[in-house]
Amino acid sequence: MSTEKQILVLGGTVFLSRTIAEHAVARGHQVTVASRGATGAPPEGAEFVTLDRATGDGLDALRGRAFDAVFDVARIPAHIGPVLDALADDAGHWSFVSTISVYKHFDILSEELHEPTAADSTDAALEAYGPSKVVCEQLVRERLGDKAFITRPGLIVGPGDRNDRLGYWPLRFAEGGEVLAPGPRERPVQWIDVDDYADFLLDAADTGEHGTVDAIGAPVEFGAFLDQVGEALVEHGVLSAPPELTWVSQEFLLEQGVNPWSGPDSLGMWVPTPDYDGFQTRPTGPAAAAGFRASDLADTVKRWWHANAEAPHLKAGLSRQKEGEVLAAWHDKPTAEGLAELDAERRFAVPQAETPAYDG
């Protein structure tokens, strides 16, 4: 158990930032949450300070205060500089949550980054997300030096994910019947559990980790991922047996209007190959060297189910009507054609990438 620290979480009311604040309170730290307060309430036991980074409101309430560790998840470059000016000099450690979307290429494993946007950019468009995070990283490094720890997560899953990317699968399995699965089974998928991530960041603040690492668990095949989700629900007493899966080729899914990743008419955590092959096989060694430890998927699923068990319903994803239509169309395809598509997809294999040295 670490000694009591003064912790500041910029955000602290939604998903990852809220989980960081909750875990910090549970560890006995004095936690301050600073946000607009428009997206939720801070966790019990945390001090709340109103902060609107777009206008600067609230910075005076924080200015001059010393924090042992600061955690920031900002995505707008213009929101970084004023907070650094107000807080960086009196911060013992600064943890900035970036993203693997800073990498320019998703189809291959590459370290090349997007060209950064301007440091004063206020562009919130999705297309600017990666380039904006690149310049946010630069601003934090330049100001904090070896007090800065920058992590680049991939897909973050767990309780509080409003997009139901992981949650689609346990809820769909619990409804029973034939389940549409995105072929091929060998497609890689990576994620990081939100609770594991919060603990990793708090531990890194304790040990003074610095540098830049991808924050992601080891890739697994999609078939193994779905098998483990089903097994976890059986162990948890939600299912009596694993679900019946029907694997459908990605070409057919796209033709039928099924969307990747998240959102309406999507299959959670599914992205096409080869477009995202590099995105789903990021190296895990540097984060492990910095202290990251991943939960078993079964534990992640059980925590997610427990958090949602009182009112289990899908907030996003493929509707049962749409799924039924796609399955019916798939079963109506000529058998030889369907098998040929799956055989073509199975030529894809998870690349074994060399893990770069940890720079923390």
Side-chain angles (χ1 to χ4, degrees):
M1 177 67 68
S2 59
T3 58
E4 180 181 298
K5 296 179 182 292
Q6 294 291 328
I7 302 291
L8 173 64
V9 181
L10 296 167
T13 61
V14 176
F15 200 30
L16 173 62
S17 64
R18 181 182 175 85
T19 305
I20 295 169
E22 289 174 340
H23 284 221
V25 169
R27 292 184 181 207
H29 297 314
Q30 295 296 314
V31 180
T32 300
V33 166
S35 75
R36 292 180 302 156
T39 54
E44 184 177 351
E47 173 194 6
F48 179 73
V49 173
T50 301
L51 171 65
D52 187 344
R53 301 173 76 142
T55 64
D57 289 351
L59 283 176
D60 287 345
L62 297 172
R63 203 181 307 274
R65 294 181 59 177
F67 293 97
D68 297 298
V70 176
F71 299 87
D72 193 8
V73 297
R75 58 174 293 185
I76 304 298
H79 294 172
I80 295 287
V83 171
L84 290 172
D85 290 342
L87 301 170
D89 291 344
D90 294 314
H93 187 268
W94 198 285
S95 182
F96 181 69
V97 175
S98 186
T99 171
I100 61 172
S101 292
V102 296
Y103 296 113
K104 186 174 182 179
H105 304 288
F106 280 0
D107 58 334
I108 59 172
L109 192 60
S110 168
E111 301 301 311
E112 184 179 359
L113 304 180
H114 286 288
E115 288 296 320
T117 58
D120 60 354
S121 171
T122 59
D123 189 353
L126 182 61
E127 294 77 13
Y129 180 56
S132 292
K133 283 286 196 177
V134 173
V135 74
C136 289
E137 289 186 7
Q138 293 175 349
L139 292 169
V140 171
R141 285 193 200 95
E142 290 168 2
R143 190 60 180 267
L144 276 301
D146 62 6
K147 293 194 297 182
F149 186 49
I150 296 169
T151 51
R152 296 169 175 166
L155 174 62
I156 307 172
V157 305
D161 179 9
R162 293 177 292 179
N163 294 309
D164 268 340
R165 290 164 293 196
L166 169 70
Y168 174 83
W169 294 107
L171 283 178
R172 176 62 192 91
F173 285 6
E175 291 179 358
E178 182 184 13
V179 177
L180 176 65
R185 290 180 57 95
E186 296 83 7
R187 177 195 317 276
V189 60
Q190 278 185 299
W191 66 89
I192 184 168
D193 179 300
V194 68
D195 289 289
D196 294 343
Y197 195 10
D199 284 333
F200 174 43
L201 295 179
L202 288 165
D203 290 344
D206 285 344
T207 59
E209 291 291 339
H210 62 278
T212 304
V213 298
D214 291 342
I216 196 71
V220 301
E221 294 181 354
F222 214 98
F225 164 74
L226 292 186
D227 288 344
Q228 290 173 42
V229 171
E231 291 165 3
L233 294 176
V234 171
E235 292 175 6
H236 204 48
V238 177
L239 298 177
S240 59
E244 175 189 354
L245 301 179
T246 297
W247 291 90
V248 176
S249 74
Q250 72 171 26
E251 288 79 9
F252 189 79
L253 293 176
L254 294 170
E255 288 172 3
Q256 296 294 314
V258 178
N259 296 319
W261 202 239
S262 67
D265 288 339
S266 69
L267 288 173
M269 303 180 72
W270 165 59
V271 288
T273 180
D275 303 42
Y276 288 85
D277 291 354
F279 185 82
Q280 296 282 44
T281 53
R282 296 302 309 174
T284 60
F292 173 65
R293 299 294 179 266
S295 292
D296 290 338
L297 177 57
D299 293 329
T300 296
V301 171
K302 290 173 185 177
R303 283 196 293 267
W304 189 93
W305 185 266
H306 178 75
N308 291 274
E310 290 186 3
H313 68 281
L314 285 172
K315 298 183 286 292
L318 199 64
S319 69
R320 297 293 72 76
Q321 178 179 346
K322 178 68 173 179
E323 181 189 36
E325 292 170 355
V326 175
L327 284 169
W330 175 255
H331 290 310
D332 283 344
K333 283 172 60 67
T335 302
E337 182 181 352
L339 290 175
E341 288 190 10
L342 283 176
D343 287 343
E345 283 195 326
R346 289 193 179 102
R347 290 197 297 269
F348 170 74
V350 178
Q352 301 298 314
E354 181 180 355
T355 301
Y358 169 56
D359 63 349

